[in-house]
Every structure is written in C-alpha cells, then in structure tokens.
Amino acid sequence: MDNTIESLKSTVADLNREIATAHLLSTSEAEEFRVHYLGQKRGIITQLFKVIPHLPKTDRREAGQLLNALRNTAQSTLAEAHSKVAKDSTAASQIDLTLPGRQHRWKGSRHPISLALTKITDIFNRMGFNIAEGPEMEDDWHNFTALNFPDDHPARDMQDTLFIDEGHQHSSHILMRTHTSPVQIRAMLDGKPPFRLIAPGRVYRNETITYKSYCLFHQVEGLVVDEGVTMADLKTTIYSFAQSFFGHDVKLRYRPSFFPFTEPSAELDVWWELPDHPNGGRWMEVLGSGMVHPNVLQAVGIDAERYTGYAFGMGVERPAMLHYGIQDIRVLYENDNRFLSQF
Amino acid sequence: MKISYNWLTKYVNHQWPPQQVGNALTMSGLEVEHVDQIGLSLDGVIVGQILSVQSHPNADRLRLCEVTLGEPQSLQIVCGAPNVEVGQRVAVATVGTTLTLHGKSIKIKKAKIRGEISTGMICAEDELGLSDDHDGIMVLSDHSVIGEPLLDYLRRECDLTEDVCFDLSITPNRPDATCHIGVARDLAALRDVPLRLPDITPPSSTGDMDQHLDVEIHCPELCGRYTAMMVQNVTVAPSPPWLQRRLESVGLRSINNVVDITNFVMYECGQPLHAFNYDLISNKQIVVRSSVSGEEFITLDEKHHVLDSGVALICDGHQPIAIGGIMGGKNSEVDDSTTNILIESAWFDPSGTRRSAKSLGISTDASYRFERGVDAQLQPWAAMRAVQLINEIAGGSVVNGIIDIHPHPQPLPTLDLRLSRIHAILGIEITHRHVTQILVSLGFHVDEKTDGVLSCTVPSHRPDIFGEIDLIEEIARIHGYDQIPLHSHTPLQLPAPLARPSDQARDEVVSFLTGNGFREIYTNSLLPDDVASQFSQGVLGVEAPPVRTLNAVSSSMATLRPSLLPGMLSVMKHNVRHSQPVLRFYEFGHVFHQGSAQSTFLEHYSEYDALLIGISGPLNPSSWDTSSRMADFFDLKGDMSLLFDTLQLNPFEMQFHDQPTEITEYHITLATENLRCATIAKLADSIQDYYELPHPVFFADFNWTRLLELYDQKPPTAFTPISLYPIVERDLAISVEESQSVGSLLSTLQTAGKPLLKEVNVFDIYTGDQIPAGQKSIAFSLRFGADRTLTDKEIDRVMQKIVDVLSKQFNAILRS
C-alpha cells in the first residue's frame, strides 16, 4: 500500500462511495458488510487505521479524522440496516394485534355505599362544609337528651335503640347511635360558632334483617350555625344539594315534619318516576331538616338569641339503592364479587 | 291514623276535592301515606222486592225467589240466604253488573243453578263492599223505592257511600291530629273558614249523678281528671247504617251501638271513652288508683295480665274493672243485655300511659292518644256528646248531671311571640294580620301585647306548644313551606374550613387499593358473641373483651366487632361458595372493645377506625403467555410497603413473629413508639379451614386512627434537589448460613454503606450445587451516589467496608 496521505484520501473517497451505495436487505448481508469493512482483523477500515503510524507525523492527525469519519459512516449504515431488518421482521403480517393484552391484576372496585357517601360529601365540600366525625357507640346524653328528646316521650319510640350491656350497672346509658345527630352536639361543644359541617357515618337500629331493613345503615348529617341563618338558607342549601345529587330537573317537595332537635322541621321528598306505578311515580323521603331547636343550642351553651342554625340528615342506602335499582338491602352487605364488580 | 274525607267535611266547608285535601294536609304537616277509595261501584245494583219464595226442586238450601224491580216483568233469582222472606226490599245485582268481592271482580250473568234459571243476584253486605257481613242478604228499610239504584238509597239513608280514606302519619308533636275535628281545624286554618263543631253543652253540675256513683282519684299523677255520665234503660243493638259506615271508613269494626258511639266520639274529637255496664259496678263506687306489683287483671280481649306497679287502675268497690287509658276489663263489659251505661271520659298522664302500655305490651286506640296527650279540657264535652248519641240511637234516659273530678286544673299557658323573630327564623315576611289569622284559626287566643309582640294563649288541645319557636312552626306550616323562597345566591363562609392532612390520606389509600385490584366491602358491625370473642386477640390490637349489646333482636348480632377480620372471612366464604375464587378485599370501619386503652370518646370503651386488607387465591389472571399463581405473604407485604410509600409513612419498628398465635400462622407487627399500627399476617390454618377457604389467607390489619395521627404529625414534604452527578451501580454476592434472615443483613448493609449507598435490592437468593450445603447465596444490587462524581476508589472502599462488616457479623463469605 502506498503510504501517503493522498493515496489514503482517494481510498477513503472510494470507500465512502461504496458504502453509500450499499444495499443491506437482510441480517446476513449486514453481517457480511460488517466483516468486510469493520471486522476486527480483516476489515478494510480496521486495516486502514494501521497505516496511520507509518504516515509522516504532520499528516497523522488529518488521517485519523478522515478514518474516524469513514468508520462512523460505516457504523451508522450498519445500524440503519439492522433496525430496518428488525422492523421488517416484526411487520404486521407477523404480529397478532387481536391477542388480549396481559393483565397483571383484576379490576378493583369501591362499594356502592362508599360511592354514594363520597358523592354526597363531595357536593357539600364544594359548598364549603367541613367534615366532622363521632363515635358509633354513644351515651344517652349525646344521642337523645342534648338533642331535646324528653325522657319519656313517644319520639324515642321512633327509634329502636340498641343498648350496650354495661355489666353490673345496667344503666342503659351507652347505646349504638341511632342517628348521626350526636356529632352536631360533639362539634358544637368542641368549638365556637360559626359552624358549617357535615358528618357522615354508620348508625344502628335494633331491627331484624329483612330485604328492606338492616340493623345498621349510613347517614350524612349537616349543621350550620351562625348569626342570621334562616330557614330560607336551609331550603336553598338542600335544594341545591338535591339538584346536584339527583339532577337539575329533579322534582322536589318540602313539607313540615317533626324532629325533637329542630323546629320548624321539614322533610324533603323527591319525585321518583316508576313507570309501573298507577300515578307514574311516587314521592320518596330523602332528607330530614329543620332549624336547630333553641333547646339544643342552650344544651351546648350557645346563645340562641344571637345565633340561629339549621341541621339536616339523610340516609345513604335509600338513594343509592334507588340510583342503582337495588331491591334487596342485604345484597349490600353480602359483598358477592359479581355484585361488587358492577361498581 | 285513618281519616275519612266525608267525615272530615262535616266539620269544615273546605270545597276541595279529596286529592286537594290530601295534598294540603301533607304540605301542612299531616303526611298522607296512603289514599284508599272506599266502595263502591254499585252501578247495576237496583232496589227490588221479593214477591214470592219457593223451595228449589233440586237443592235443599237454595230457594227460588220472584223479584220485582218495579217493571212489569218480574225476575226469578236463585238465593241461598237463610233470611230471605216475602215482602223484603233487597239489593239486586242485575245481569251485567260487576261486583268486587274479596278483591276479585265478579260479573253477574244469567245462569242455570241446579237446573233453575237465575237472572241476577240478591246481595249480602259483603258482596256490595259495605261490610264483611255475610250472614244473610241485606234487607233495606221501607224508605227504599223499588226500582231505584241502590246507591241513591244509600246516599239518602246512610249518608255515605263513596268515600276516601286518608292514612295519615301523625308525628309525635301533633296529639291534636288524632281525630277528625283536629284535622278539620288545620283544614279550616288553611282555607281561612270557620270550624263547625257539634253543638254540645255539657252539664255544669253533678246533678243527680251523685246518687248513682261515687268517684275518687287516689293517683292524680296518673289520672288528672275523671268525668262520668250515665244513660239508663238503653237498648244495646247493632248500630244504624250511618254509624257503621263511619267506623268502617276508618277501618274499625262495628260491635254494638254503645261501643260504636264511644269509638265514634274518640275518632271525632280525640277523647277515648269507656262504656261500663253500670249494673256490674259494685258498691256504685269508682276508685282510680295505682296498681300494686303482681296484681292480676283480665282485659276485654280475655288476656290475663300480671301488672307492674304504677299502672292506673279503675276499680269499683270490689275489684279493678279497667286499666285506665288502655283497656277495659272483661268483668264490666257492655253486652247485648246491658241496660244501664256509665260513660267514663278521663284524662290519663302521657308518660304514665306510655310506661304502662309498654310494660303490658298493649297498644290500643286509647293508649295511642293518651300517650301523645289528650286535650285536658275536653272530658265533659266528650262525655256529653256520647250520652246524647246513645240516647238518640239506643234510647233510654240520660241521668241529669256529670261527675267531674279534677284535682289540679291547670291554667292555659300564654306565650309571647315577636313578629321580628318570625322573620329571623323563617327568612320571610308574614303580615301581622295573617299571623293572627293562622293562630286564631288553630284555636289560639291572640292579644297584641306591645308593638310587634303578640301574647298567645295556647289552646288545651295543643299540649305540645311550649315556646315561641313552636308558634313560629305553626305559622310556617299553615303559611306553607312553599312560600319560603330559594335564594339565587348564598353567602360564602370565610375563612374556608381547614382541611386536615388526613382527610386526603383515605382517598389516597382507596385509590391505591382500587388501582391494585382490591374490592371494597361493607360488613355488619354486629357479630355473634362467640365469633367476637374468638377474634378479640392482641395480635389484632384487641387487649380486652368485646362489647356486648343488651337487647339485640338476634343472637347473631349480640356483640360489636372487635376486628374487621371475621366479617371479611365470611365474605370470602360466601364468594368461594358461589364459585368466585378471586379474593382481594378491603374494608374501612369502626371496631370496638372494652377498656379505655384506645378510647377517644367514651370512658371504659375503645372505638377506633380500622382498615383491613385481605387476599387469598389466585394473584393474577392467567393469560396466553402468563400463568396464574396463588398469592402469598410477600405479595401482600410488597403491596403494603407500597401503601406506606403512598402515604410517605416510614419507617416503623417491625417485630417478626414466626410462631403461630390463635389466629395467625405467622405475622409482622408494625409499631411506632410501641403502639401497634398494623399487623401483616398469614391466617391460622384452622380458621382458614373453619371458613372453608381452599387457599391460604393473608391479611393486613391497620389501626387506621393511629395511622392518621402519624400522618397528621408528619412534617410536610420538602423537595430535595436531584443530584446532577452519576449514580454508580455495583453488585454484591455473599454466602451465609441458610437460616440467616435477609432483613438483618439488609439493615446492616444499609448502615455500613452510609452515606454514599442510596439504594439496595435483593435480586437473587440461591441454594444448590454451587454453594456448600447449609449455606445460601444472596445477591444484592447497590446504587451509590453523592453530590460529586464518585471515583472507583471511593466506591471500592465502601464495598470493602460492607464486606468486612457482613463477614464479621454474619460470617458472610464474598462470592466472586
């Protein structure tokens, strides 16, 4: 080989032309190309690098640059060929896109009661209500007395209370709360007005389990106490809630009712369409409400002349069952996978 | 509480059709739960007269009747009634008529009955829907006109035929609404028309009554007032049709004229009455006293009762004859032979009646009303109303005068009502005039006290009205809640409520679990006692006996759950039984036990929020190139460490228990400051078998309340700048004794590698040919980093230190 920079330049130019026109269509052609130009021992470009030490010192740098560029070109041509060949081998004719994807887990799910509770609390959160909590085991004072239930009043008959066995004492002062309303009392004793809170939770009834009643269910309680709060504020709030929950075109009815801890008291009914019903549907009670009774405010040491407030409470199961078309309440507590997977 | 539309209309000229009345009552506080149409499609039923009666040639019990409907041609009708007689005027269902009997429609056709033609039917009362009487055909009075529709006759003679019955749900604050006059009063207030009451003037003095009876009240705390009147020489007989219809329209059965009148008056004005057979009252004396524990008594319904003390007893000179306010006795009952009637019209204390009715297990129309509170001034009026009706219907003569024992008459309370307060509570303006009109219509006496303040005297029929707020409710419900406007804007309360960090912790965990294929369940908080006791275990954080209920309706709900575990195991069992093998569940819920160790609210009891996560059965679905395998402990442990990472809660003190407990095969306890936060465990095989579960069960039980406290104490996340310098990776393989736990190697290694060592993973554990017997090889991958470029030399030094420490502490041998 002629050891001059000029002959090297012309060799490199020839090789560049050769490489540029190379057509590498398969893995074996690419491998041939690699061995021919870049092979560790006999590769043309590898061999050319061995010339450099024999060149005049002044030319060696230029020769190095030339050969490096040539090697890069060869390598990228090779890489291109490899990727093209690889792409071809996984072409559409060979991959079955209809195969199901791999699933490493089954789908999880949330319980419908939980979904309904979240939906309710979310709406009130957006209206600026805070969340409060209380125990499910309560004493008589928080559950009844402070809420203006007289000792021996028929109002206590409205609730079948489950009492706790306190052993030797038999005082019947501890019970499973019959409503979430005692959370109102705990919240008001804990802080100072204004209050604006909701309390979701589990409540108990001492009832036999049937398709339409269970020994426990869930409620969301609401309480607002401030200066200048009126029944118009109450009605506005719960109508807004019902429109968010049931839809803006929901038909509502607001009628007088009775709860010992509110006065005036009211029940909110929703018109539920039932195609098979002779009247085309019927009114369903969804929410009890009223202005906080002055006796309740007094029981927790709030000036009932200065502050007024409202409270409301609703069951969760009933609207959830209506919404999902569930007829038998027991299915909620059976937790069959085939039931759970629908939510 | 049943209210008849026709009856109601007697007391108020409302001019509303039934539907509008029902709607108005609901919207003013007396919710109409059901509306029943009573009767009566009697089209085609005509008044006829029986011209002749012959026996049926082919049937002993049947007879052939010739009946005229006033037309030239008479009809032959086959009839089986025993009371059919020539000359009777009867109700004839003509051919083509449809009657409803026991809820079924029957169409009358021309038919042959045992070979004889029958063109129509002579009807009994039950066949016409008038009563349940099927003793014989209905015989009409001489006032009937042959050939006229029966309906015309009934309208004229009995005053009611078609009616509507409203079934009202009466709230405990409305004792006044347990009668027709009370409901009519609301209707009169709503329509602003007068209430029309029967014109009754009770006697004002004892008159001749004291010659017939002596009354004493020994227990004024139970019986506040006792009035009595008498009618002599009455004829006890069936009630006239109008009275029977009235009672039937509210679901009562007619008994006889005297008893029916007492019921009628109770449903009219709300005052329960009792009619005694005067001749059975010994010594002509009545004493009202409190019972002594153990006394025995037989009530009208022939039930034998052993009484507690404190029950109001009506006694004659010899023995108890009635339980006051609840039910009369068998021994003084009015029957067909009774001629002298004593009417009791008394007032019994609501609490006392409630206690007695509860202890006796009896609820009657009378006790229902006394429990709620009967008008304390109504007794003479009701007694007079009853004796007048008895006199009219059953004849005899009314004894002049009334006995009225009223130990402590109470004045009517007077309350102040500020007009400004109405606006402050309701948020609407109601005119002074309208406020007064409503209150006066409801029976209040209203005086203007000072400017803007009304002085209102509460009528005796409203014992539930105690304060100004009660008056405001009365005004609101009559004015109408519909009149309360909806705001288009509502003020926003500022500052916005503070959110606790823990509010979002639950959302994060729920998202994590749902995303990882866990299904949320809700289970019963009440368990059978033996189950609750079995799961009251320290390993689940329960250090004391479970909490038992006093009065559960079923032993399956006797005790509060100390843990969520038994509930979840039952759910697993249910699913396995129904061929649902994938068991991956979680539940949030309160758990309970005795002792105040974890109490936040009540003394002597612990209640806190728990989270339980459980897995059993296949871990993943099998696929075309992936096979399914059964979940194991490390699947759950791995998920749980991701869960803690999600909450950024780490590290915990971990205690490893490889020995079985009563409910676990092995478990890890996670704690901080010696307080348990969580237990990750394999369920005991015996319990797995008991719940018939085919695969091992692994569960993680959290004290969620405790976890939230930790979450709230956690310092806020602060960003650490990402290092700009490269990470260096090294592998390390050592062999140690086979029994050596990996956990202690890992923590030693982490300590020894500080501060350059950033991460360690176990990527291989091997025993076998390449390794001496009794040894295992463990391979770690290590990642080093610092705020500079690390040199090989530095890393070699750390690696050497790690190897030295491991070999010194664990006799680890470096494998090359």
Side-chain angles (χ1 to χ4, degrees), chain A residues 100 136 163 202 206 235 263, chain B residues 470 484 525 550-551 607 624:
Chain A
E136 292 171 12
F163 290 98
R202 181 173 279 203
N206 195 18
K235 189 176 168 187
E263 186 153 10
Chain B
D470 300 312
I484 299 172
S525 314
L550 198 58
N551 60 332
E607 173 177 347
W624 44 279

Side-chain angles (χ1 to χ4, degrees), chain A residues 100 102 109 111 114 136 152 157 161 163 165 202 204 206 231 235-236 263 265 304-305 335-337, chain B residues 354 418 421 425 470 473 481 484 487 519-520 522-523 525 548 550-551 574-575 582 607 624-625:
Chain A
R102 283 178 209 99
S109 58
H111 195 278
S114 181
E136 292 171 12
D152 199 21
D157 260 357
T161 309
F163 290 98
D165 183 355
R202 181 173 279 203
Y204 295 79
N206 195 18
M231 199 156 173
K235 189 176 168 187
T236 302
E263 186 153 10
S265 299
E305 279 294 311
N335 301 290
D336 192 300
N337 266 335
Chain B
R354 189 172 130 81
R418 294 164 293 171
R421 193 67 182 166
I425 296 292
D470 300 312
E473 180 172 62
Y481 286 9
I484 299 172
H487 300 315
R519 294 196 187 282
E520 186 180 24
Y522 271 54
T523 68
S525 314
R548 297 185 171 88
L550 198 58
N551 60 332
H574 169 92
N575 277 288
V582 181
E607 173 177 347
W624 44 279
D625 68 345

Side-chain angles (χ1 to χ4, degrees), chain B residues 199-210:
Chain B
D199 190 14
I200 302 294
T201 311
S204 54
S205 68
T206 314
D208 298 333
M209 275 302 289
D210 58 358

Side-chain angles (χ1 to χ4, degrees), chain A residues 32-234:
Chain A
E32 230 171 80
F33 175 92
R34 189 191 64 79
V35 172
H36 182 67
Y37 292 104
L38 298 167
Q40 286 285 350
K41 289 183 178 155
R42 304 254 157 73
I44 295 174
I45 298 171
T46 316
Q47 294 295 332
L48 284 176
F49 271 100
K50 291 179 180 163
V51 173
I52 296 175
H54 305 291
L55 289 178
K57 260 190 182 158
T58 49
D59 293 337
R60 284 182 200 164
R61 184 185 173 83
E62 191 188 357
Q65 285 170 349
L66 272 175
L67 289 174
N68 272 330
L70 177 67
R71 187 170 62 184
N72 285 346
T73 307
Q75 276 171 345
S76 62
T77 302
L78 186 66
E80 219 170 90
H82 273 304
S83 81
K84 191 167 183 298
V85 169
K87 235 184 241 166
D88 287 350
S89 72
T90 57
S93 59
Q94 290 173 35
I95 184 164
D96 180 0
L97 296 174
T98 66
L99 270 175
R102 283 178 209 99
Q103 290 176 345
H104 301 288
R105 290 284 160 89
W106 284 276
K107 183 179 104 59
S109 58
R110 292 188 66 186
H111 195 278
I113 294 177
S114 181
L115 291 172
L117 264 171
T118 308
K119 186 171 172 186
I120 294 167
T121 52
D122 279 354
I123 292 168
F124 284 111
N125 278 341
R126 273 181 262 144
M127 294 199 252
F129 283 75
N130 212 352
I131 291 184
E133 277 164 4
E136 292 171 12
M137 242 169 99
E138 263 297 1
D139 55 31
D140 180 87
W141 189 82
H142 285 91
N143 195 73
F144 289 127
T145 310
L147 288 163
N148 198 35
F149 283 80
D151 274 349
D152 199 21
H153 194 273
R156 289 195 181 192
D157 260 357
M158 292 166 82
Q159 333 230 2
D160 296 306
T161 309
L162 187 59
F163 290 98
I164 296 304
D165 183 355
E166 294 171 75
H168 57 284
Q169 307 166 39
H170 285 292
S171 47
S172 297
H173 287 322
I174 310 285
L175 44 85
M176 298 313 290
R177 66 177 175 193
T178 56
H179 47 183
T180 39
S181 307
V183 184
Q184 288 182 27
I185 300 299
R186 291 190 177 275
M188 287 193 283
L189 286 172
D190 262 8
K192 280 184 184 157
F195 296 103
R196 191 176 177 84
L197 56 92
I198 51 165
R202 181 173 279 203
V203 303
Y204 295 79
R205 292 290 153 88
N206 195 18
E207 282 181 357
T208 323
I209 296 172
T210 68
Y211 77 98
K212 60 177 182 181
S213 74
Y214 206 74
C215 55
L216 55 88
F217 57 97
H218 297 80
Q219 275 189 343
V220 177
E221 185 82 9
L223 175 74
V224 170
V225 176
D226 202 348
E227 292 178 24
V229 175
T230 71
M231 199 156 173
D233 299 318
L234 163 60

Side-chain angles (χ1 to χ4, degrees), chain A residues 263-264 293-295 298 304-306 308, chain B residues 413-426 435 439 444 449 452-456 458 464-476:
Chain A
E263 186 153 10
H293 199 289
N295 291 356
Q298 276 151 23
E305 279 294 311
R306 180 174 165 197
T308 52
Chain B
T414 299
L415 303 170
D416 282 353
L417 171 63
R418 294 164 293 171
L419 294 169
S420 60
R421 193 67 182 166
I422 300 174
H423 180 260
I425 296 292
L426 303 180
V435 167
L439 291 173
F444 291 81
K449 195 175 177 187
V453 180
L454 302 180
S455 172
C456 308
V458 181
D464 59 296
I465 304 271
F466 295 106
E468 186 183 45
I469 195 72
D470 300 312
L471 297 172
I472 294 172
E473 180 172 62
E474 292 304 300
I475 293 158

Side-chain angles (χ1 to χ4, degrees), chain A residues 10 25 27 29 31 34 37 43 45 48 52 57 63 72 120 128 163 194 201 203 250 261 269 302 310-311 324:
Chain A
S10 98
L25 295 175
T27 316
E29 283 175 7
E31 181 60 12
R34 189 191 64 79
Y37 292 104
I45 298 171
L48 284 176
I52 296 175
K57 260 190 182 158
N72 285 346
I120 294 167
F163 290 98
V203 303
V250 66
F261 42 100
D269 296 342
I302 292 175
Y310 61 80
Y324 294 118

